[in-house]
Amino acid sequence: MGFYSRFVVPWGCNLLMASSQFPDVRKALLEGVEGDVLEIGFGTGLNLPHYPASVRKLTAIDKNPGMAAKAKQRISDSGIEVEHLVLNGETLPMANESYDCVVSGWTLCSIRDVGQALREIHRVLRPTGRFFFAEHGRSPDRNVRKWQNRLNPVQKLIADGCNLNRDIKQLIESHGFTITKLREFYLDKLPKLHGYMYQGVASK
């Protein structure tokens, strides 16, 4: 992993994702999360203050060690038991049916083999487990979608693999999940190319 990915990207992500338009989405994302929880794409730990008291233990993974370094203080300040691991979401070492909930926030956009990651999420969830997600992706508006497709190669280059145009709903539903709750909307104060959100819950 090069200097840009390990140091510049974590700094930029932390700056952007800590801005004022995200806390309400994080709170909505984590409503109802409970028990043993896995968060993929933990980043710099910005979700931590929004986890409810019903969480017994959080296993937090991110493939970027630079993100892990920035998350240390937030983990230390949290009242939740956190196991923090440098791992990617495509190859999880956890046993089948290990978690009550899996959380993904602004993560499925950047996993190279997102289908494999979703299969892994499905595998590690318990039979009654739930997948909580908040992701940006493909807009339903034709003109916005056209520019998402055009600019996606540039986005991937400057944002460490992040895609603008993934159809999050279709991806989740095509990998063994049933979406039980879904809100789609544009996030305020972000360009429409980057700000179309899918926030919801899916079951096995």
Side-chain angles (χ1 to χ4, degrees), residues 44-58:
T44 62
L46 288 164
N47 280 337
L48 270 175
H50 303 279
Y51 272 101
S54 52
V55 172
R56 181 165 46 246
K57 179 182 177 182
L58 174 65

Side-chain angles (χ1 to χ4, degrees), residues 108-112 114 137-138 163-168 171:
L108 298 181
C109 60
S110 58
I111 298 176
R112 182 173 298 177
V114 66
R138 183 178 186 266
N163 290 267
L164 292 171
N165 59 356
R166 285 184 171 170
D167 187 334
I168 300 301
L171 280 168

Side-chain angles (χ1 to χ4, degrees), residues 26 38 44 62 85 92 97 130 143 177 186:
R26 295 183 193 280
L38 171 67
T44 62
D62 199 289
L85 304 170
L92 299 176
E97 302 180 0
R130 292 176 294 165
N143 194 51
F177 291 97
Y186 283 108

Side-chain angles (χ1 to χ4, degrees), residues 125-141:
L125 271 174
R126 291 174 179 145
T128 57
R130 292 176 294 165
F131 176 39
F132 294 75
F133 58 91
E135 302 285 349
H136 76 102
R138 183 178 186 266
S139 169
D141 300 325

Side-chain angles (χ1 to χ4, degrees), residues 1-203:
M1 182 172 288
F3 178 87
Y4 182 80
S5 292
R6 186 160 185 167
F7 296 100
V8 178
V9 169
W11 174 83
C13 283
N14 189 64
L15 184 66
L16 172 64
M17 301 303 290
S19 56
S20 61
Q21 64 265 41
F22 289 101
D24 287 347
V25 183
R26 295 183 193 280
K27 183 177 179 180
L29 164 65
L30 298 171
E31 185 177 348
V33 173
E34 61 184 354
D36 297 316
V37 180
L38 171 67
E39 182 178 340
I40 66 166
F42 184 66
T44 62
L46 288 164
N47 280 337
L48 270 175
H50 303 279
Y51 272 101
S54 52
V55 172
R56 181 165 46 246
K57 179 182 177 182
L58 174 65
T59 302
I61 70 167
D62 199 289
K63 70 174 184 177
N64 190 329
M67 296 284 193
K70 284 190 170 294
K72 283 183 179 179
Q73 187 60 52
R74 289 192 175 106
I75 292 171
S76 178
D77 292 342
S78 173
I80 299 172
E81 180 186 353
V82 180
E83 181 182 12
H84 193 202
L85 304 170
V86 178
L87 291 171
N88 68 59
E90 298 153 303
T91 311
L92 299 176
M94 297 80 174
N96 294 350
E97 302 180 0
S98 296
Y99 296 98
D100 299 297
C101 300
V102 176
V103 172
S104 173
W106 300 277
T107 298
L108 298 181
C109 60
S110 58
I111 298 176
R112 182 173 298 177
D113 189 347
V114 66
Q116 176 59 22
L118 285 164
R119 284 187 287 272
E120 283 289 87
I121 291 168
H122 193 277
R123 179 184 66 80
V124 301
L125 271 174
R126 291 174 179 145
T128 57
R130 292 176 294 165
F131 176 39
F132 294 75
F133 58 91
E135 302 285 349
H136 76 102
R138 183 178 186 266
S139 169
D141 300 325
R142 181 181 298 178
N143 194 51
V144 176
R145 190 165 64 244
K146 176 180 70 176
W147 282 101
Q148 284 180 323
N149 293 335
R150 285 178 177 175
L151 295 176
N152 199 57
V154 178
Q155 170 74 9
K156 288 173 67 177
L157 183 65
I158 65 176
D160 206 29
C162 172
N163 290 267
L164 292 171
N165 59 356
R166 285 184 171 170
D167 187 334
I168 300 301
K169 179 177 183 290
Q170 188 275 332
L171 280 168
I172 292 171
E173 290 182 329
S174 65
H175 287 88
F177 291 97
T178 299
I179 293 177
T180 58
K181 177 182 177 182
L182 180 63
R183 180 183 173 219
E184 298 184 47
F185 59 99
Y186 283 108
L187 195 61
D188 293 340
K189 301 179 185 177
L190 279 184
K192 287 188 173 182
L193 295 178
H194 297 82
Y196 192 73
M197 291 294 306
Y198 299 75
Q199 185 261 310
V201 183
S203 61

